[in-house]
Amino acid sequence: MFANALTGVRALLLVLRWPVLVARHQALRPRFDALVARQRRLDTIALGPAERGSQPAIRPVPWLLCQAVLGPGVLALSSVMWAFALVTVSTPLWWRLVSENPLPGVVVMVGSTNNAFVVTLLGFVVTLIAAACSHGLPRWHAGVNLLLAGGLRRSRLTRRIAVLTESRAGALEVQAAELRRIERDLHDGVQARLVSLSMVLGLLDFKLHEVPADTRQLVAHARDQVGEALRELRDLVRGVYPPILADRGLTGGIESLAEHAGSGLRGIAVTVDVADRLAVALESAVYFVVAEALTNVVKHSDADQAEVTVRSDGHRVRINVMDDGRGGADEQAGTGLAGLRRRVAAFDGELSLSSPVGGPTVLHVEMPCA
Amino acid sequence: MRVVIAEDLLLLREGLKRLLTELGCTVVAAVDNPEALLEALERERPDLAIVDIRLPPTYRDEGLRAAIEARRRRPGTPILILSQYIEQAYVRELLADAAGGVGYLLKDRVGDVSELLTALRTVAAGGTVLDPEVTSGLLNRLGRTAALAGLTPREREVLGLMARGRSNSAIAADLVVTERAINKYINRIFSKLSLAPADSDHRRVIAVLRYLDAGGRSEPS
């Protein structure tokens, strides 16, 4: 507390000498920094070791003024409390002395010896308060300094990051659930209606035996259009939320991807080792990462073989896509990899690509499960 | 032909019912969940069941599971799966029991009535019908490999039709050639791919699909 007060005095002196020092072109910063470092040591003693991290810049004037007021202020307040405590506790000692020889200017309102002992009891309470002050106030002072040093901002940021992390995970889950809902709506709505329309047209065609050929051709044309619409819709749905993912989880989903991509390759080896179902959002992120990676392999690598591995240990999910193609994949060249990186980043994941000219190309993605 | 329909969407259930009735079938039951399907199959013993893959309660692959269960209880129960999408995994599961009388078509195909009718009759008669999409993917995948390189385009076409469960006469009709010519094609394909000849269309489908699935390596039989 005395040390704090000393800091305060030195802070006050520094503020007062500020114009003088500036006028003499003397460096202020080292003196200020020394003072801050000294006070920080004191605060550490009061509060325990502070959290490690970059120390934010402190604004000098508010800090110095605060030390100047708080350091001596806290000392003064504690001293007054202790003095008051001492006086009240020791009342019986000086009561007799003062009542017999009243000192000029001292008003004594104790009244009797018994009362003096009552005051002593009160004095013990005051002592407790004084002790609480000298224990608590320096800590409070150190706390204020921490806030001044950006601790407040830091703790607010820490809380904010926690909130944002949670809300982002929530948003991703909501988005995944939305996509699934859209897939369901398409399946039960538009797709079903188109199938129904196709059925009606088929029946119409079946019944139109006697009509001229060009009329039947019109019906056939209409049916083809419906068929085309259904095909496009099916591709769209696969891009929104692949039904196989809901049905069979990642294992089924990735195998299905390999089967679809397989047309461009000689062989794809797939290993999926994921014990539990992952969160819906993460599951579909993994699916689309592999989908995009395989599309790249088929489109650009000129590879014969590819290998897809997806593993999860419950904490992190690791995706590895390797091909024996010509390598030299350039992240800047297309939008595919940048899109992948964004998708992975949304889950706090990391993506690395190794693709020397001549191959092999290895894409590695790691995403946390929680 | 007596038919059971399992489809959860009213629109499609009623549409199918009407279409099948127009085609001369008798729809003996039209249900919307897997339990009712199994019960209807038990009760009605129909010539054919048309089953949607997505059925309640979870709307995933309950239809497929019910179909497999029905065929486990009574092997060869003729079932035609209709779905909005084709998955090779489902094809494998459906064909795993090696009994005939199964089909797997995209719902899109109901627009082609004569084609649908052929499919219904084939499955009801114990044959196998697979959607063109099932085989086109597999054939494409092997397109670049040596396995199919020895086949002429015509032979590959015949191979694709075989994989879809077409009988020799149906393939002949599709390609507008004689059945004898088709027999010759098929013998040549089997010897080129070193596949053992199969005694039924269904076994032939399984053999060809397995061959395609394995990336063009014939299985030791």
Side-chain angles (χ1 to χ4, degrees):
Chain A
M1 204 179 327
F2 293 99
N4 284 351
L6 192 59
T7 308
V9 173
R10 285 169 64 175
L12 191 61
L13 285 176
L14 193 58
V15 171
L16 293 177
R17 287 169 61 203
W18 200 280
V20 183
L21 290 169
V22 169
R24 289 192 191 157
H25 300 289
Q26 288 190 352
L28 288 165
R29 200 72 216 186
R31 292 163 194 262
F32 173 69
D33 286 344
L35 206 55
V36 169
R38 173 193 144 84
Q39 185 57 34
R40 197 164 272 153
R41 278 197 300 277
L42 297 172
D43 292 345
T44 308
I45 294 165
L47 282 184
E51 53 184 305
R52 291 255 153 241
S54 60
Q55 300 282 11
I58 296 173
R59 291 169 59 202
V61 176
W63 190 85
L64 288 171
L65 288 177
C66 192
Q67 303 310 318
V69 173
L70 283 184
V74 164
L75 180 62
L77 190 59
S78 292
S79 308
V80 166
M81 287 312 290
W82 278 116
F84 187 42
L86 199 64
V87 167
T88 39
V89 169
S90 59
T91 306
L93 290 181
W94 49 264
W95 155 243
R96 195 165 286 277
L97 191 75
V98 174
S99 61
E100 284 169 8
N101 314 299
L103 293 173
V106 176
V107 184
V108 179
M109 296 187 296
V110 177
S112 71
T113 308
N114 281 350
N115 283 359
F117 285 103
V118 173
V119 172
T120 302
L121 286 180
L122 279 174
F124 285 122
V125 176
V126 177
T127 309
L128 282 179
I129 294 173
C133 277
S134 33
H135 176 72
L137 285 177
R139 290 172 63 82
W140 175 74
H141 181 183
V144 170
N145 283 347
L146 196 66
L147 298 191
L148 278 176
L152 177 68
R153 214 170 130 253
R154 205 156 48 227
S155 69
R156 232 182 15 223
L157 284 179
T158 310
R159 272 204 306 276
R160 187 86 191 116
I161 286 170
V163 168
L164 286 178
T165 306
E166 197 171 311
S167 70
R168 181 174 67 174
L172 288 168
E173 275 304 300
V174 166
Q175 185 217 21
E178 267 304 274
L179 288 179
R180 244 178 113 167
R181 188 188 57 77
I182 290 171
E183 188 268 327
R184 277 272 266 285
D185 285 356
L186 285 175
H187 179 271
D188 293 357
V190 187
Q191 280 180 308
R193 273 193 197 281
L194 283 175
V195 169
S196 167
L197 175 61
S198 168
M199 250 183 318
V200 172
L201 287 171
L203 198 54
L204 186 64
D205 185 42
F206 188 69
K207 287 187 159 189
L208 290 177
H209 280 304
E210 300 84 33
V211 300
D214 54 347
T215 310
R216 290 194 67 182
Q217 222 163 14
L218 273 179
V219 177
H221 182 61
R223 223 179 50 198
D224 289 347
Q225 293 291 311
V226 176
E228 196 53 45
L230 276 168
R231 238 186 320 282
E232 283 177 15
L233 208 49
R234 200 161 40 239
D235 288 345
L236 177 78
V237 164
R238 199 176 264 285
V240 169
Y241 185 86
I244 185 81
L245 208 49
D247 294 0
R248 295 294 159 89
L250 263 183
T251 311
I254 304 281
E255 275 167 6
S256 160
L257 268 180
E259 262 153 6
H260 278 267
S263 55
L265 294 165
R266 234 172 244 252
I268 300 185
V270 176
T271 315
V272 181
D273 182 10
V274 178
D276 298 315
R277 292 290 297 253
L278 304 172
V280 180
L282 184 62
E283 206 169 59
S284 74
V286 172
Y287 177 91
F288 283 112
V289 164
V290 175
E292 182 68 35
L294 282 179
T295 307
N296 284 342
V297 170
V298 171
K299 266 201 334 218
H300 307 298
S301 77
D302 203 22
D304 268 342
Q305 309 277 343
E307 205 182 301
V308 179
T309 318
V310 178
R311 284 182 207 281
S312 162
D313 58 3
H315 301 290
R316 293 181 84 73
V317 49
R318 295 177 174 84
I319 308 169
N320 225 61
V321 181
M322 197 173 87
D323 70 66
D324 64 350
R326 63 172 116 95
D330 182 8
E331 197 169 333
Q332 265 66 49
T335 53
L337 269 172
L340 264 187
R341 205 175 269 283
R342 271 201 303 277
R343 206 186 266 275
V344 171
F347 289 85
D348 271 337
E350 286 148 29
L351 178 151
S352 64
L353 178 76
S354 146
S355 184
V357 175
T361 300
V362 181
L363 177 84
H364 183 77
V365 171
E366 260 192 69
M367 293 187 277
C369 286
Chain B
M1 198 188 300
R2 296 170 69 252
V3 181
V4 166
I5 299 172
E7 162 69 62
D8 63 303
L9 296 173
L10 181 70
L11 182 72
L12 294 185
R13 196 164 63 239
E14 292 306 311
L16 267 177
K17 215 153 109 180
R18 183 163 156 227
L19 178 66
L20 292 174
T21 311
E22 293 274 357
L23 295 181
C25 302
T26 314
V27 177
V28 290
V31 301
D32 62 359
N33 66 77
E35 292 77 35
L37 167 67
L38 289 174
E39 193 208 324
L41 285 175
E42 202 57 45
R43 193 180 60 234
E44 302 289 345
R45 308 264 170 108
D47 298 311
L48 177 74
I50 298 180
V51 180
D52 180 19
I53 282 196
R54 267 195 194 187
L55 290 179
T58 68
Y59 298 94
R60 288 179 179 164
D61 55 358
E62 276 87 346
L64 180 72
R65 287 173 200 276
I68 290 169
E69 171 63 18
R71 286 167 63 79
R72 189 188 62 78
R73 288 185 195 176
R74 193 191 310 283
T77 302
I79 288 179
L80 175 64
I81 296 278
L82 282 184
S83 175
Q84 303 272 33
Y85 49 93
I86 294 284
E87 288 295 346
Q88 301 292 352
Y90 296 169
V91 176
R92 279 194 292 273
E93 285 164 31
L94 203 56
L95 295 182
D97 64 8
V102 283
Y104 183 6
L105 289 180
L106 277 175
K107 280 186 179 169
D108 308 21
R109 312 296 174 209
V110 297
D112 190 336
V113 172
S114 55
E115 191 71 9
L116 179 68
L117 210 48
T118 311
L120 297 180
R121 286 188 186 131
T122 309
V123 174
T128 310
V129 175
L130 292 181
D131 198 272
E133 205 159 277
V134 174
T135 49
S136 65
L138 289 173
L139 284 172
N140 276 337
R141 180 160 133 198
L142 293 185
R144 301 192 335 157
T145 66
L148 298 187
L151 300 188
T152 64
R154 191 59 149 188
E155 284 166 351
R156 293 177 60 156
E157 211 173 343
V158 173
L159 182 70
L161 288 165
M162 276 198 296
R164 284 172 49 196
R166 302 293 251 186
S167 66
N168 291 10
S169 54
I171 297 174
D174 282 343
L175 300 181
V176 208
V177 291
T178 62
E179 217 177 311
R180 261 189 48 173
I182 292 300
N183 279 332
K184 264 176 26 199
Y185 278 127
I186 291 174
N187 285 335
R188 262 210 308 272
I189 293 167
F190 269 66
S191 74
K192 276 184 184 175
L193 303 183
S194 12
L195 283 170
D199 54 2
S200 74
D201 287 349
H202 183 71
R203 286 188 190 286
R204 191 166 76 182
V205 171
I206 291 178
V208 173
L209 282 182
R210 201 175 282 163
Y211 174 81
L212 296 176
D213 229 9
R217 288 176 295 277
S218 38
E219 307 238 324
S221 48

